[in-house]
Short mmCIF file of all heavy atoms in Angstrom, two decimals:
data_model
loop_
_atom_site.label_atom_id
_atom_site.label_comp_id
_atom_site.label_asym_id
_atom_site.label_seq_id
_atom_site.Cartn_x
_atom_site.Cartn_y
_atom_site.Cartn_z
N GLY M 142 -13.85 -2.11 -5.00
CA GLY M 142 -15.15 -2.24 -5.77
C GLY M 142 -16.20 -2.96 -5.12
O GLY M 142 -16.97 -3.74 -5.78
N ARG M 143 -16.28 -2.90 -3.80
CA ARG M 143 -17.30 -3.69 -3.12
C ARG M 143 -18.73 -3.24 -3.36
O ARG M 143 -19.66 -4.02 -3.35
CB ARG M 143 -16.99 -3.80 -1.61
CG ARG M 143 -16.87 -2.55 -0.96
CD ARG M 143 -16.51 -2.74 0.50
NE ARG M 143 -16.56 -1.51 1.27
CZ ARG M 143 -16.30 -1.42 2.53
NH1 ARG M 143 -15.95 -2.50 3.20
NH2 ARG M 143 -16.31 -0.24 3.16
N LEU M 144 -18.85 -1.94 -3.55
CA LEU M 144 -20.17 -1.39 -3.89
C LEU M 144 -20.65 -1.98 -5.19
O LEU M 144 -21.80 -2.43 -5.32
CB LEU M 144 -20.18 0.02 -3.85
CG LEU M 144 -21.51 0.74 -4.27
CD1 LEU M 144 -22.65 0.33 -3.34
CD2 LEU M 144 -21.37 2.25 -4.29
N CYS M 145 -19.79 -1.93 -6.13
CA CYS M 145 -20.17 -2.43 -7.49
C CYS M 145 -20.51 -3.84 -7.43
O CYS M 145 -21.52 -4.33 -8.04
CB CYS M 145 -19.06 -2.12 -8.53
SG CYS M 145 -18.60 -0.48 -8.53
N ALA M 146 -19.65 -4.64 -6.80
CA ALA M 146 -19.83 -6.11 -6.73
C ALA M 146 -21.19 -6.37 -5.93
O ALA M 146 -21.90 -7.25 -6.36
CB ALA M 146 -18.72 -6.78 -6.06
N SER M 147 -21.43 -5.63 -4.90
CA SER M 147 -22.66 -5.87 -4.15
C SER M 147 -23.86 -5.53 -5.02
O SER M 147 -24.86 -6.34 -4.97
CB SER M 147 -22.76 -4.91 -2.95
OG SER M 147 -21.51 -4.99 -2.26
N ILE M 148 -23.83 -4.54 -5.78
CA ILE M 148 -25.08 -4.25 -6.69
C ILE M 148 -25.19 -5.30 -7.80
O ILE M 148 -26.28 -5.72 -7.98
CB ILE M 148 -24.79 -2.83 -7.33
CG1 ILE M 148 -24.74 -1.77 -6.29
CG2 ILE M 148 -25.84 -2.57 -8.37
CD1 ILE M 148 -24.58 -0.40 -6.88
N ASN M 149 -24.10 -5.73 -8.22
CA ASN M 149 -24.25 -6.80 -9.26
C ASN M 149 -24.77 -8.09 -8.63
O ASN M 149 -25.69 -8.67 -9.18
CB ASN M 149 -22.91 -7.06 -9.91
CG ASN M 149 -22.44 -5.96 -10.78
OD1 ASN M 149 -23.23 -5.19 -11.32
ND2 ASN M 149 -21.13 -5.80 -10.92
N ALA M 150 -24.23 -8.38 -7.44
CA ALA M 150 -24.71 -9.64 -6.79
C ALA M 150 -26.20 -9.52 -6.45
O ALA M 150 -26.98 -10.44 -6.63
CB ALA M 150 -23.89 -9.87 -5.58
N ALA M 151 -26.61 -8.36 -6.01
CA ALA M 151 -28.00 -8.12 -5.55
C ALA M 151 -28.89 -8.28 -6.80
O ALA M 151 -30.00 -8.94 -6.67
CB ALA M 151 -28.22 -6.88 -4.89
N SER M 152 -28.50 -7.71 -7.93
CA SER M 152 -29.41 -7.81 -9.05
C SER M 152 -29.47 -9.28 -9.56
O SER M 152 -30.54 -9.71 -9.98
CB SER M 152 -29.03 -6.79 -10.07
OG SER M 152 -27.99 -7.29 -10.80
N MET M 153 -28.43 -10.00 -9.50
CA MET M 153 -28.38 -11.37 -9.94
C MET M 153 -29.21 -12.19 -9.02
O MET M 153 -29.98 -13.09 -9.47
CB MET M 153 -27.05 -11.91 -10.08
CG MET M 153 -26.19 -11.30 -11.16
SD MET M 153 -26.86 -11.45 -12.73
CE MET M 153 -26.42 -13.18 -13.07
N ALA M 154 -29.16 -11.90 -7.77
CA ALA M 154 -29.94 -12.65 -6.75
C ALA M 154 -31.44 -12.45 -6.97
O ALA M 154 -32.30 -13.36 -6.84
CB ALA M 154 -29.55 -12.31 -5.35
N LEU M 155 -31.85 -11.19 -7.34
CA LEU M 155 -33.24 -10.86 -7.59
C LEU M 155 -33.65 -11.58 -8.82
O LEU M 155 -34.83 -12.08 -8.91
CB LEU M 155 -33.35 -9.39 -7.86
CG LEU M 155 -33.36 -8.51 -6.50
CD1 LEU M 155 -33.19 -7.03 -6.83
CD2 LEU M 155 -34.58 -8.77 -5.74
N VAL M 156 -32.80 -11.67 -9.85
CA VAL M 156 -33.20 -12.43 -10.99
C VAL M 156 -33.40 -13.96 -10.63
O VAL M 156 -34.40 -14.57 -11.08
CB VAL M 156 -32.09 -12.30 -12.13
CG1 VAL M 156 -32.30 -13.36 -13.22
CG2 VAL M 156 -32.14 -10.90 -12.72
N ASP M 157 -32.55 -14.42 -9.83
CA ASP M 157 -32.66 -15.80 -9.40
C ASP M 157 -33.87 -16.06 -8.66
O ASP M 157 -34.46 -17.13 -8.68
CB ASP M 157 -31.39 -16.16 -8.58
CG ASP M 157 -31.39 -17.61 -8.39
OD1 ASP M 157 -31.55 -18.40 -9.33
OD2 ASP M 157 -31.09 -18.06 -7.18
N SER M 158 -34.37 -15.10 -7.87
CA SER M 158 -35.57 -15.36 -7.09
C SER M 158 -36.87 -15.08 -7.86
O SER M 158 -37.91 -15.21 -7.36
CB SER M 158 -35.51 -14.50 -5.82
OG SER M 158 -35.67 -13.15 -6.16
N GLY M 159 -36.73 -14.52 -9.06
CA GLY M 159 -37.85 -14.33 -9.89
C GLY M 159 -38.68 -12.99 -9.61
O GLY M 159 -39.80 -12.88 -10.03
N ILE M 160 -38.04 -12.09 -9.01
CA ILE M 160 -38.80 -10.86 -8.71
C ILE M 160 -38.69 -10.00 -9.91
O ILE M 160 -37.59 -9.77 -10.48
CB ILE M 160 -38.24 -10.10 -7.43
CG1 ILE M 160 -38.54 -10.94 -6.28
CG2 ILE M 160 -38.77 -8.74 -7.27
CD1 ILE M 160 -38.00 -10.40 -4.94
N PRO M 161 -39.71 -9.38 -10.40
CA PRO M 161 -39.71 -8.67 -11.61
C PRO M 161 -38.98 -7.31 -11.50
O PRO M 161 -39.10 -6.62 -10.53
CB PRO M 161 -41.21 -8.46 -11.97
CG PRO M 161 -41.87 -8.64 -10.79
CD PRO M 161 -41.12 -9.55 -9.94
N MET M 162 -38.18 -7.02 -12.51
CA MET M 162 -37.40 -5.78 -12.54
C MET M 162 -37.52 -5.12 -13.88
O MET M 162 -37.87 -5.71 -14.86
CB MET M 162 -35.89 -6.10 -12.26
CG MET M 162 -35.68 -6.85 -11.00
SD MET M 162 -33.93 -6.68 -10.50
CE MET M 162 -33.12 -7.48 -11.82
N LYS M 163 -37.24 -3.85 -13.81
CA LYS M 163 -37.28 -3.08 -15.09
C LYS M 163 -36.16 -3.57 -16.02
O LYS M 163 -36.37 -3.53 -17.26
CB LYS M 163 -37.12 -1.66 -14.87
CG LYS M 163 -38.32 -0.89 -14.31
CD LYS M 163 -38.02 0.57 -14.19
CE LYS M 163 -38.66 1.08 -12.89
NZ LYS M 163 -38.09 2.35 -12.51
N ASP M 164 -35.07 -3.74 -15.48
CA ASP M 164 -33.86 -3.95 -16.33
C ASP M 164 -32.81 -4.65 -15.40
O ASP M 164 -32.96 -4.61 -14.14
CB ASP M 164 -33.37 -2.73 -16.95
CG ASP M 164 -32.33 -2.97 -18.06
OD1 ASP M 164 -31.99 -4.16 -18.25
OD2 ASP M 164 -31.92 -2.03 -18.68
N LEU M 165 -31.80 -5.21 -15.97
CA LEU M 165 -30.74 -5.73 -15.21
C LEU M 165 -29.78 -4.68 -14.68
O LEU M 165 -29.15 -4.05 -15.52
CB LEU M 165 -30.02 -6.76 -16.05
CG LEU M 165 -29.05 -7.73 -15.42
CD1 LEU M 165 -29.82 -8.63 -14.36
CD2 LEU M 165 -28.42 -8.61 -16.50
N LEU M 166 -29.73 -4.55 -13.42
CA LEU M 166 -28.90 -3.41 -12.89
C LEU M 166 -27.52 -3.81 -12.93
O LEU M 166 -27.15 -4.89 -12.31
CB LEU M 166 -29.41 -3.10 -11.45
CG LEU M 166 -28.73 -2.09 -10.66
CD1 LEU M 166 -28.91 -0.75 -11.27
CD2 LEU M 166 -29.32 -2.08 -9.27
N CYS M 167 -26.69 -3.06 -13.60
CA CYS M 167 -25.19 -3.37 -13.60
C CYS M 167 -24.37 -2.17 -13.04
O CYS M 167 -24.88 -1.05 -13.04
CB CYS M 167 -24.76 -3.52 -15.06
SG CYS M 167 -25.76 -4.65 -15.93
N SER M 168 -23.37 -2.53 -12.52
CA SER M 168 -22.56 -1.47 -11.83
C SER M 168 -21.04 -1.73 -12.08
O SER M 168 -20.48 -2.82 -12.14
CB SER M 168 -22.84 -1.54 -10.33
OG SER M 168 -21.81 -0.88 -9.64
N CYS M 169 -20.37 -0.68 -12.26
CA CYS M 169 -18.94 -0.61 -12.46
C CYS M 169 -18.33 0.60 -12.03
O CYS M 169 -19.03 1.61 -11.96
CB CYS M 169 -18.61 -0.96 -13.99
SG CYS M 169 -16.91 -1.19 -14.30
N SER M 170 -17.10 0.65 -11.71
CA SER M 170 -16.50 1.89 -11.26
C SER M 170 -15.43 2.37 -12.31
O SER M 170 -14.98 1.57 -13.12
CB SER M 170 -15.79 1.69 -9.96
OG SER M 170 -14.67 0.73 -10.03
N ALA M 171 -15.15 3.61 -12.09
CA ALA M 171 -14.17 4.18 -13.06
C ALA M 171 -13.32 5.19 -12.28
O ALA M 171 -13.72 5.70 -11.16
CB ALA M 171 -14.84 4.87 -14.19
N GLY M 172 -12.15 5.44 -12.82
CA GLY M 172 -11.24 6.34 -12.08
C GLY M 172 -10.46 7.18 -13.15
O GLY M 172 -10.66 6.97 -14.31
N TYR M 173 -9.60 7.97 -12.64
CA TYR M 173 -8.87 8.80 -13.42
C TYR M 173 -7.43 8.88 -13.05
O TYR M 173 -7.23 9.19 -11.88
CB TYR M 173 -9.57 10.18 -13.42
CG TYR M 173 -8.86 11.20 -14.24
CD1 TYR M 173 -8.94 11.20 -15.56
CD2 TYR M 173 -8.19 12.30 -13.63
CE1 TYR M 173 -8.23 12.16 -16.40
CE2 TYR M 173 -7.65 13.30 -14.40
CZ TYR M 173 -7.63 13.18 -15.74
OH TYR M 173 -7.01 14.14 -16.50
N ALA M 174 -6.61 8.64 -13.91
CA ALA M 174 -5.13 8.76 -13.59
C ALA M 174 -4.69 9.99 -14.16
O ALA M 174 -4.46 10.01 -15.44
CB ALA M 174 -4.38 7.54 -14.10
N GLY M 175 -4.63 11.06 -13.43
CA GLY M 175 -4.22 12.33 -14.07
C GLY M 175 -2.74 12.45 -14.15
O GLY M 175 -2.03 11.45 -14.28
N GLY M 176 -2.33 13.64 -14.20
CA GLY M 176 -0.87 13.81 -14.28
C GLY M 176 -0.42 13.66 -15.76
O GLY M 176 -1.01 14.12 -16.67
N THR M 177 0.72 12.93 -15.94
CA THR M 177 1.28 12.85 -17.25
C THR M 177 0.42 12.04 -18.18
O THR M 177 0.07 12.48 -19.31
CB THR M 177 2.61 12.13 -17.18
OG1 THR M 177 2.48 10.87 -16.51
CG2 THR M 177 3.68 12.99 -16.44
N THR M 178 -0.07 10.88 -17.74
CA THR M 178 -0.96 10.22 -18.61
C THR M 178 -2.45 10.60 -18.31
O THR M 178 -2.80 10.64 -17.15
CB THR M 178 -0.94 8.63 -18.37
OG1 THR M 178 -1.24 8.42 -17.02
CG2 THR M 178 0.53 8.23 -18.63
N ASP M 179 -3.13 10.83 -19.26
CA ASP M 179 -4.43 11.40 -19.03
C ASP M 179 -5.49 10.40 -19.29
O ASP M 179 -6.36 10.57 -20.15
CB ASP M 179 -4.65 12.63 -19.99
CG ASP M 179 -5.77 13.50 -19.58
OD1 ASP M 179 -6.18 13.49 -18.35
OD2 ASP M 179 -6.42 14.14 -20.47
N THR M 180 -5.38 9.28 -18.61
CA THR M 180 -6.29 8.17 -18.98
C THR M 180 -7.33 7.95 -17.88
O THR M 180 -7.11 8.19 -16.76
CB THR M 180 -5.50 6.84 -19.18
OG1 THR M 180 -4.71 6.68 -17.97
CG2 THR M 180 -4.64 6.81 -20.45
N THR M 181 -8.47 7.30 -18.39
CA THR M 181 -9.36 6.94 -17.44
C THR M 181 -9.39 5.43 -17.25
O THR M 181 -9.19 4.72 -18.23
CB THR M 181 -10.73 7.28 -17.93
OG1 THR M 181 -10.98 6.72 -19.23
CG2 THR M 181 -11.03 8.78 -18.06
N LEU M 182 -9.47 5.07 -16.00
CA LEU M 182 -9.44 3.56 -15.72
C LEU M 182 -10.75 3.09 -15.44
O LEU M 182 -11.63 3.78 -14.98
CB LEU M 182 -8.57 3.40 -14.49
CG LEU M 182 -7.16 4.04 -14.46
CD1 LEU M 182 -6.58 3.98 -13.10
CD2 LEU M 182 -6.29 3.48 -15.49
N VAL M 183 -10.93 1.91 -15.70
CA VAL M 183 -12.24 1.16 -15.49
C VAL M 183 -12.07 0.06 -14.53
O VAL M 183 -11.04 -0.66 -14.58
CB VAL M 183 -12.80 0.70 -16.86
CG1 VAL M 183 -14.10 -0.03 -16.51
CG2 VAL M 183 -13.08 1.82 -17.76
N ASP M 184 -13.00 -0.05 -13.55
CA ASP M 184 -12.99 -1.12 -12.64
C ASP M 184 -11.75 -1.11 -11.76
O ASP M 184 -10.84 -1.94 -11.95
CB ASP M 184 -13.14 -2.44 -13.34
CG ASP M 184 -13.63 -3.56 -12.43
OD1 ASP M 184 -13.99 -3.18 -11.25
OD2 ASP M 184 -13.65 -4.76 -12.83
N LEU M 185 -11.70 -0.20 -10.76
CA LEU M 185 -10.53 -0.06 -9.95
C LEU M 185 -10.44 -1.14 -8.98
O LEU M 185 -11.48 -1.50 -8.37
CB LEU M 185 -10.56 1.22 -9.24
CG LEU M 185 -10.81 2.51 -10.14
CD1 LEU M 185 -10.77 3.73 -9.24
CD2 LEU M 185 -9.75 2.69 -11.18
N ASN M 186 -9.25 -1.55 -8.68
CA ASN M 186 -9.13 -2.56 -7.62
C ASN M 186 -8.67 -1.66 -6.34
O ASN M 186 -8.55 -0.48 -6.33
CB ASN M 186 -8.09 -3.63 -7.92
CG ASN M 186 -6.66 -2.99 -8.32
OD1 ASN M 186 -6.48 -1.87 -8.02
ND2 ASN M 186 -5.85 -3.84 -8.89
N ARG M 187 -8.44 -2.42 -5.33
CA ARG M 187 -8.24 -1.71 -4.03
C ARG M 187 -6.98 -0.85 -4.03
O ARG M 187 -6.98 0.29 -3.47
CB ARG M 187 -8.09 -2.60 -2.88
CG ARG M 187 -8.40 -1.97 -1.58
CD ARG M 187 -7.60 -2.55 -0.47
NE ARG M 187 -8.13 -3.86 -0.20
CZ ARG M 187 -7.68 -4.56 0.86
NH1 ARG M 187 -6.89 -4.03 1.66
NH2 ARG M 187 -8.19 -5.81 1.12
N ARG M 188 -5.94 -1.28 -4.74
CA ARG M 188 -4.81 -0.49 -4.75
C ARG M 188 -5.03 0.86 -5.48
O ARG M 188 -4.42 1.87 -5.10
CB ARG M 188 -3.75 -1.34 -5.63
CG ARG M 188 -2.42 -0.83 -5.66
CD ARG M 188 -1.54 -1.34 -4.57
NE ARG M 188 -0.30 -0.70 -4.63
CZ ARG M 188 0.69 -1.10 -5.49
NH1 ARG M 188 0.52 -2.18 -6.20
NH2 ARG M 188 1.83 -0.47 -5.45
N GLU M 189 -5.86 0.83 -6.47
CA GLU M 189 -6.04 2.00 -7.30
C GLU M 189 -7.09 2.86 -6.55
O GLU M 189 -7.14 4.11 -6.77
CB GLU M 189 -6.54 1.69 -8.70
CG GLU M 189 -5.46 1.05 -9.51
CD GLU M 189 -6.01 0.21 -10.63
OE1 GLU M 189 -7.26 0.01 -10.67
OE2 GLU M 189 -5.29 -0.13 -11.56
N GLU M 190 -7.89 2.33 -5.70
CA GLU M 190 -8.90 3.14 -4.99
C GLU M 190 -8.32 3.83 -3.87
O GLU M 190 -8.77 4.95 -3.50
CB GLU M 190 -9.95 2.10 -4.37
CG GLU M 190 -11.23 2.08 -5.01
CD GLU M 190 -12.11 1.03 -4.29
OE1 GLU M 190 -12.05 1.03 -2.98
OE2 GLU M 190 -12.73 0.18 -4.95
N SER M 191 -7.27 3.31 -3.24
CA SER M 191 -6.85 3.88 -1.99
C SER M 191 -5.99 5.12 -2.32
O SER M 191 -5.44 5.22 -3.36
CB SER M 191 -5.90 2.86 -1.24
OG SER M 191 -4.82 2.55 -2.00
N PRO M 192 -6.00 6.00 -1.36
CA PRO M 192 -5.26 7.27 -1.63
C PRO M 192 -3.76 6.99 -1.73
O PRO M 192 -3.17 6.34 -0.90
CB PRO M 192 -5.56 8.10 -0.45
CG PRO M 192 -6.22 7.25 0.56
CD PRO M 192 -6.69 6.13 -0.11
N ASN M 193 -3.20 7.47 -2.82
CA ASN M 193 -1.74 7.33 -2.96
C ASN M 193 -1.13 8.66 -2.81
O ASN M 193 -1.54 9.60 -3.42
CB ASN M 193 -1.40 6.61 -4.32
CG ASN M 193 -1.45 7.59 -5.47
OD1 ASN M 193 -2.09 8.58 -5.34
ND2 ASN M 193 -0.66 7.28 -6.54
N GLY M 194 -0.08 8.67 -2.01
CA GLY M 194 0.44 10.04 -1.58
C GLY M 194 -0.52 10.69 -0.71
O GLY M 194 -1.26 9.98 0.06
N GLY M 195 -0.83 11.92 -0.86
CA GLY M 195 -1.88 12.53 -0.05
C GLY M 195 -3.16 12.62 -0.78
O GLY M 195 -4.25 12.87 -0.20
N GLN M 196 -3.06 12.32 -1.98
CA GLN M 196 -4.21 12.54 -2.84
C GLN M 196 -5.20 11.38 -2.76
O GLN M 196 -4.79 10.22 -3.08
CB GLN M 196 -3.74 12.72 -4.42
CG GLN M 196 -2.98 13.99 -4.62
CD GLN M 196 -4.00 15.10 -4.66
OE1 GLN M 196 -5.20 14.96 -4.90
NE2 GLN M 196 -3.57 16.30 -4.42
N PRO M 197 -6.48 11.65 -2.50
CA PRO M 197 -7.39 10.55 -2.67
C PRO M 197 -7.62 10.17 -4.09
O PRO M 197 -7.51 11.06 -4.91
CB PRO M 197 -8.62 11.10 -1.98
CG PRO M 197 -8.49 12.56 -2.03
CD PRO M 197 -6.98 12.84 -1.99
N ALA M 198 -7.92 8.95 -4.29
CA ALA M 198 -8.03 8.51 -5.75
C ALA M 198 -9.37 9.02 -6.24
O ALA M 198 -10.37 9.20 -5.59
CB ALA M 198 -8.00 6.97 -5.76
N VAL M 199 -9.39 9.23 -7.56
CA VAL M 199 -10.70 9.53 -8.28
C VAL M 199 -11.32 8.23 -8.45
O VAL M 199 -10.94 7.43 -9.28
CB VAL M 199 -10.41 10.26 -9.58
CG1 VAL M 199 -11.70 10.50 -10.24
CG2 VAL M 199 -9.75 11.59 -9.30
N TYR M 200 -12.47 8.11 -7.82
CA TYR M 200 -13.11 6.80 -7.83
C TYR M 200 -14.59 6.99 -7.98
O TYR M 200 -15.26 7.57 -7.09
CB TYR M 200 -12.81 6.04 -6.56
CG TYR M 200 -13.59 4.78 -6.29
CD1 TYR M 200 -13.65 3.77 -7.15
CD2 TYR M 200 -14.36 4.63 -5.15
CE1 TYR M 200 -14.35 2.63 -6.98
CE2 TYR M 200 -15.10 3.51 -4.83
CZ TYR M 200 -15.12 2.51 -5.76
OH TYR M 200 -15.81 1.38 -5.57
N LEU M 201 -15.13 6.58 -9.04
CA LEU M 201 -16.52 6.88 -9.40
C LEU M 201 -17.25 5.52 -9.65
O LEU M 201 -17.28 5.04 -10.72
CB LEU M 201 -16.60 7.77 -10.61
CG LEU M 201 -17.95 8.46 -10.93
CD1 LEU M 201 -17.66 9.74 -11.54
CD2 LEU M 201 -18.86 7.69 -11.75
N PRO M 202 -17.90 4.98 -8.64
CA PRO M 202 -18.80 3.78 -8.93
C PRO M 202 -20.05 4.29 -9.53
O PRO M 202 -20.60 5.33 -9.05
CB PRO M 202 -18.98 3.20 -7.56
CG PRO M 202 -18.73 4.24 -6.55
CD PRO M 202 -17.82 5.26 -7.16
N CYS M 203 -20.55 3.49 -10.40
CA CYS M 203 -21.69 3.90 -11.16
C CYS M 203 -22.59 2.79 -11.45
O CYS M 203 -22.12 1.72 -11.69
CB CYS M 203 -21.23 4.69 -12.40
SG CYS M 203 -22.50 4.79 -13.66
N ALA M 204 -23.89 3.02 -11.29
CA ALA M 204 -24.80 1.83 -11.66
C ALA M 204 -25.79 2.35 -12.64
O ALA M 204 -26.25 3.50 -12.59
CB ALA M 204 -25.55 1.40 -10.33
N MET M 205 -26.11 1.46 -13.67
CA MET M 205 -27.05 1.95 -14.65
C MET M 205 -27.92 0.83 -15.14
O MET M 205 -27.61 -0.37 -14.89
CB MET M 205 -26.31 2.61 -15.83
CG MET M 205 -25.41 1.65 -16.54
SD MET M 205 -24.54 2.52 -17.83
CE MET M 205 -25.82 2.74 -18.97
N LEU M 206 -28.93 1.10 -15.79
CA LEU M 206 -29.77 0.18 -16.45
C LEU M 206 -29.44 0.21 -17.88
O LEU M 206 -29.80 1.11 -18.66
CB LEU M 206 -31.28 0.55 -16.28
CG LEU M 206 -31.71 0.75 -14.87
CD1 LEU M 206 -33.13 1.21 -14.81
CD2 LEU M 206 -31.60 -0.57 -14.06
N PRO M 207 -28.62 -0.82 -18.33
CA PRO M 207 -28.00 -0.63 -19.69
C PRO M 207 -28.87 -0.53 -20.77
O PRO M 207 -28.71 0.11 -21.81
CB PRO M 207 -27.03 -1.74 -19.72
CG PRO M 207 -27.42 -2.66 -18.73
CD PRO M 207 -28.23 -1.97 -17.65
N GLN M 208 -29.99 -1.39 -20.70
CA GLN M 208 -30.84 -1.42 -21.87
C GLN M 208 -31.71 -0.17 -21.97
O GLN M 208 -32.17 0.17 -23.10
CB GLN M 208 -31.77 -2.70 -21.87
CG GLN M 208 -30.94 -3.84 -22.06
CD GLN M 208 -31.70 -5.11 -21.76
OE1 GLN M 208 -32.77 -5.00 -21.10
NE2 GLN M 208 -31.29 -6.26 -22.18
N ARG M 209 -31.93 0.51 -20.88
CA ARG M 209 -32.73 1.74 -20.89
C ARG M 209 -31.75 2.92 -21.06
O ARG M 209 -32.29 4.01 -21.31
CB ARG M 209 -33.55 1.88 -19.68
CG ARG M 209 -34.60 0.77 -19.60
CD ARG M 209 -35.05 0.58 -18.17
NE ARG M 209 -35.91 1.71 -17.77
CZ ARG M 209 -37.24 1.64 -17.80
NH1 ARG M 209 -37.86 0.60 -18.31
NH2 ARG M 209 -37.95 2.71 -17.37
N GLY M 210 -30.54 2.70 -20.72
CA GLY M 210 -29.61 3.84 -20.92
C GLY M 210 -29.67 4.89 -19.87
O GLY M 210 -29.26 6.03 -20.06
#
Side-chain angles (χ1 to χ4, degrees):
Chain M
R143 58 186 183 176
L144 174 60
C145 305
S147 310
I148 294 177
N149 292 332
S152 76
M153 294 301 280
L155 285 168
V156 166
D157 189 45
S158 70
I160 293 179
M162 304 198 295
K163 281 183 221 166
D164 194 354
L165 191 59
L166 179 64
C167 311
S168 159
C169 186
S170 65
Y173 178 68
T177 52
T178 63
D179 195 26
T180 50
T181 54
L182 310 170
V183 176
D184 199 8
L185 307 182
N186 58 14
R187 199 213 292 188
R188 187 93 183 278
E189 292 158 347
E190 253 178 44
S191 61
N193 79 337
Q196 289 283 339
V199 175
Y200 169 56
L201 196 148
C203 157
M205 63 183 289
L206 303 176
Q208 290 167 346
R209 294 158 75 94

